[in-house]
Amino acid sequence: MSFSVAGMEEERCAAAAAHEIRRLPAEVNWEMLDKSRFFVLGAALFSGVSAALYPAVVVKTHLQVAPPPQAAAATVRAILSRDGLRGFYRGFGASLAGTVPARALYMAALEATKSSVGPAAVRLGVSEPAASAIASAAAGVSAAVAAQVVWTPVDVVSQRLMVQTSSCSRYAGGADAFRKILAADGVRGLYRGFGLSIITYAPSNAVWWASYAMAQRLAWRVVGADRSESYPALMAVQGASAALAGGAAALVTMPLDTVKTRLQVMETDGMAPRPTLGSTMRGLLKEGGWAACYRGLGPRWGSMSLSAATMVTTYEVLKRLSAKEGSLG
């Protein structure tokens, strides 16, 4: 008797979970997208978001590479007094030039992986919520690896431009920086920190997308899945879930990001030995101990939380704008 009651209880819980999943907003998968519309609209939308958030990235980079510890407010004032508002957009042209192909690779890898891993996990008997988390994690890893092929050289060039000043400019622009880095260090110089970027962003993306998927489910339980038809409620839940996931990812990956930024910005003059992961880490610890690894945490945490919220809501809107006619029923 107890076995039959337990079995009925399990069936009831499974049915309730399936009913809850059906009430959540429909997922727009890779097969449902008009790819040309998706990439064209995506390039325009994400370029706008990147422009809005770029000043925070500049401040974070200055904090990470400046030897004496500085407050974020002092860094902002120094950039303003030295270069004006233009100082917050140093390297933006180079960054924007890489945004389109990097985002295209990221979105393609993300959606293609998610669409293939999720159904495969369900066919293997994994529950729908677990399959969604697994697919999101796998998609995050593949997207991060694909995007870093473009993002690493873009980061190296744009970060060099970010930290130079109008009174001491080694590079005339993105193209000039690209040529000089290539001449001094070869292709290897453009991919300095590539391995560390993968180590930083692949696990971070896996955790981020998995936690974002789970946070959304929890949020809808609180808000009520019946409100998923409300566009403001949908945007609020997705934005809040993304911000929480982004803030957590910033905190966890901050030390690695600081070392990566230092490694990418360091110049070589041909006489000094090439900076390595170990030498960069030792130098950072010597400067200020473990606290030095968290320089720029405030701007990065704020930037990643805000970026996550705006990027995800923009991304979800983008997918719905790019859905093929009739694919959403």
Side-chain angles (χ1 to χ4, degrees):
M1 181 70 179
S2 59
F3 285 112
S4 63
V5 171
M8 288 173 64
E9 183 63 22
E10 286 180 8
E11 287 180 8
R12 188 185 68 77
C13 290
H19 177 66
E20 181 183 354
I21 289 165
R22 283 195 296 271
R23 291 172 67 198
L24 294 178
E27 177 73 16
V28 182
N29 61 39
W30 186 241
E31 289 75 22
M32 295 163 66
L33 295 173
D34 178 328
K35 309 300 186 296
S36 58
R37 198 191 314 169
F38 181 65
F39 288 124
V40 171
L41 285 174
L45 289 170
F46 285 119
S47 294
V49 172
S50 296
L53 298 173
Y54 195 77
V57 178
V58 172
V59 173
K60 183 269 300 183
T61 302
H62 274 268
L63 289 168
Q64 287 178 319
V65 302
Q70 293 181 350
T75 301
V76 170
R77 286 195 297 271
I79 295 171
L80 269 176
S81 63
R82 187 174 58 235
D83 300 315
L85 290 174
R86 202 175 153 193
F88 293 104
Y89 282 91
R90 284 194 177 278
F92 181 64
S95 179
L96 189 62
T99 293
V100 176
R103 288 289 176 196
L105 281 171
Y106 188 95
M107 292 186 294
L110 182 77
E111 291 301 325
T113 305
K114 197 189 294 186
S115 295
S116 58
V117 172
V122 170
R123 285 195 297 271
L124 291 172
V126 179
S127 67
E128 183 73 26
S132 175
I134 291 168
S136 295
V141 171
S142 68
V145 173
Q148 282 308 314
V149 173
V150 175
W151 269 127
T152 299
V154 169
D155 267 351
V156 170
V157 171
S158 62
Q159 285 170 352
R160 298 275 182 100
L161 294 171
M162 281 179 200
V163 298
Q164 71 176 9
T165 63
S166 53
S167 60
C168 183
S169 297
R170 180 175 178 181
Y171 308 112
D176 184 51
F178 182 89
R179 285 193 299 269
K180 286 179 177 175
I181 294 168
L182 197 61
D185 300 317
V187 175
R188 191 175 166 188
L190 291 169
Y191 278 91
R192 188 184 289 175
F194 177 74
L196 194 56
S197 295
I198 297 297
I199 293 170
T200 302
Y201 294 121
S204 172
N205 269 259
V207 171
W208 193 94
W209 281 103
S211 60
Y212 169 65
M214 290 187 287
Q216 269 206 90
R217 291 185 185 281
L218 290 172
W220 283 120
R221 285 180 187 174
V222 174
V223 174
D226 56 319
R227 297 185 63 186
S228 63
E229 296 299 320
S230 165
Y231 194 70
L234 176 63
M235 298 287 282
V237 166
Q238 289 173 341
S241 300
L244 287 171
L251 184 64
V252 171
T253 60
M254 189 67 202
L256 285 172
D257 184 71
T258 301
V259 174
K260 174 188 74 69
T261 302
R262 282 280 182 109
L263 195 61
Q264 290 175 331
V265 170
M266 282 179 176
E267 304 279 3
T268 54
D269 56 10
M271 301 292 290
R274 290 179 185 276
T276 64
L277 174 59
S279 66
T280 304
M281 188 69 187
R282 284 192 297 273
L284 194 61
L285 290 174
K286 189 176 179 180
E287 275 180 27
W290 283 104
C293 297
Y294 285 88
R295 284 179 192 162
L297 176 61
R300 186 168 187 255
W301 187 87
S303 173
M304 282 189 69
S305 296
L306 186 58
S307 173
T310 52
M311 289 286 187
V312 161
T313 50
T314 301
Y315 184 61
E316 296 290 353
V317 169
L318 169 64
K319 289 204 293 181
R320 278 164 173 73
L321 289 175
S322 306
K324 296 174 183 174
E325 294 295 329
S327 60
L328 292 175

